[in-house]
Amino acid sequence: AEPFDLRPGPRVGTELVANHIASAEGLGRTVEVLQLRLIRDLGLVGDDVEDRMARLLAAIATGYARALRDRTLDEQESIRRAVMTARAQAERALRDSEARFRHQATHDPLTDLPNRALFTERLTAALNEPGRGAERIGLCFLDLDRFKVVNDTLGHQAGDRLLITVANRLRRALDGHLVARLGGDEFVVLVERTGGTDDVVAVADTALAAVREPAIVDGTELTVTASLGIVERQIAGTTPGHLMRAADSTMHWAKAAGGARWEVFDAERNRRELARHALSAAIPAALERGEFYL
């Protein structure tokens, strides 16, 4: 065309790539066809025809190369984004899986309350946190009264539903405190930063009231009570094991007193109980050895 215009050349190269003619053979064949047939078929003549043809072919090749480069970069970017997306999805799936396994390992499968392992972990962390030695901490150890009767009369499935009901009530009533199921019909409540025994007694009263509410299980209205042991002391000088043993022993004092009540740990009473237990354990062997004298 006159005047000679090179702009169609790059456009032809671009459209070759856009139509997936992106191999070296495709470009070579295009150059070959134009070189051998265009001038002859159009009947072009003139001194600058060959020069124009060379420039046109160069323009086509340039457009082709640029389009191929851009497509390659776009594909690489798409691959990069796909890799990043896949990696993010894999990492998210891994985190979700780890969180799910962590939850299963640290929560009771029946009630979804924290289990003994998580409670011990939290209690240990509270006792070992730097700068908290002068603070006070409390535990409420709770055991349902006569729960075995429910299992024996209504069945274990009914007992499980009752435990779920009790767990949900404790969770709601004691929001802000860590409530855990230790196993069976035993629950424990962690009361941090107490101002004294009265703070833990208030938590115990709330827990016992929540348990006492009638529950409908398999069409039967059940009213259950609980025995609860309270231990409250300064963090410095205590351990998770000492706290748990003290709370457990105190819960048994409440159960021995008739249940449906709480008892507060008494160190002197605990010493007497331990001495009595040791003496009771020693009596049979002492009888055999003739160690009793009138």
Side-chain angles (χ1 to χ4, degrees):
E2 293 291 350
F4 181 58
D5 186 4
L6 284 175
R7 286 177 296 180
R11 189 165 59 247
V12 169
T14 299
E15 291 178 359
L16 286 171
V17 175
N19 287 277
H20 309 293
I21 304 174
S23 65
E25 291 79 7
L27 177 61
R29 181 60 177 157
T30 300
V31 170
E32 181 182 356
V33 169
L34 292 177
Q35 180 71 42
L36 296 179
R37 297 181 54 185
L38 183 63
I39 297 177
R40 183 191 65 192
D41 291 350
L42 295 180
L44 298 177
V45 295
D47 297 337
D48 62 345
V49 170
E50 294 292 338
D51 178 64
R52 289 187 179 190
M53 175 57 69
R55 293 167 62 193
L56 177 61
L57 293 177
I60 292 174
T62 300
Y64 180 91
R66 287 175 178 170
L68 191 60
R69 179 200 61 194
D70 292 343
R71 192 182 77 163
T72 301
L73 292 176
D74 289 343
E75 290 175 347
Q76 290 175 345
E77 179 63 19
S78 297
I79 293 172
R80 188 184 68 83
R81 285 197 299 267
V83 169
M84 292 178 62
T85 300
R87 182 182 294 119
Q89 291 174 343
E91 291 174 351
R92 184 165 55 250
L94 180 61
R95 287 195 300 271
D96 292 344
S97 177
E98 289 175 345
R100 185 167 60 254
F101 288 139
R102 165 70 176 169
H103 186 86
Q104 292 173 350
T106 57
H107 286 74
D108 174 51
L110 178 65
T111 63
D112 202 40
L113 286 177
N115 61 13
R116 182 185 295 271
L118 180 55
F119 183 83
T120 303
E121 179 183 308
R122 289 281 298 275
L123 177 59
T124 302
L127 294 178
N128 294 333
E129 185 176 337
R132 293 188 59 184
E135 295 181 7
R136 303 185 70 82
I137 196 167
L139 292 185
C140 293
F141 198 111
L142 181 149
D143 183 89
L144 299 183
D145 296 327
R146 294 175 293 279
F147 178 71
K148 184 176 183 297
V149 175
V150 176
N151 280 336
D152 292 343
T153 57
L154 298 180
H156 288 276
Q157 290 184 344
D160 287 346
R161 283 190 281 275
L162 178 59
L163 289 173
I164 293 172
T165 299
V166 169
N168 290 335
R169 289 178 180 176
L170 291 174
R171 185 189 287 111
R172 289 194 301 268
L174 302 177
D175 186 32
H177 299 294
L178 177 64
V179 181
R181 181 189 179 209
L182 300 183
D185 58 339
E186 292 182 339
F187 300 85
V188 65
V189 184
L190 175 62
V191 186
E192 298 190 60
R193 296 181 171 87
T194 69
T197 302
D198 289 345
D199 290 347
V200 190
V201 168
V203 172
D205 285 334
T206 301
L208 292 180
V211 172
R212 254 193 324 267
E213 296 179 13
I216 304 298
V217 177
D218 292 344
T220 302
E221 182 176 301
L222 299 177
T223 299
V224 294
T225 59
S227 301
L228 192 149
I230 295 172
V231 59
E232 192 275 344
R233 61 182 59 166
Q234 192 176 49
I235 286 179
T238 192
T239 66
H242 289 155
L243 280 174
M244 292 295 289
R245 284 193 296 272
D248 187 19
S249 297
T250 312
M251 180 271 293
H252 286 289
W253 298 348
K255 195 171 286 289
R261 58 181 293 154
W262 50 259
E263 291 281 352
V264 178
F265 180 75
D266 181 340
E268 181 57 34
R269 178 179 177 179
N270 187 59
R271 280 191 289 270
R272 291 197 306 269
E273 294 277 353
L274 291 176
R276 182 181 180 87
H277 175 73
L279 185 61
S280 298
I283 284 176
L287 282 170
E288 291 179 2
R289 291 192 294 265
E291 295 176 355
F292 280 84
Y293 298 90
L294 188 62

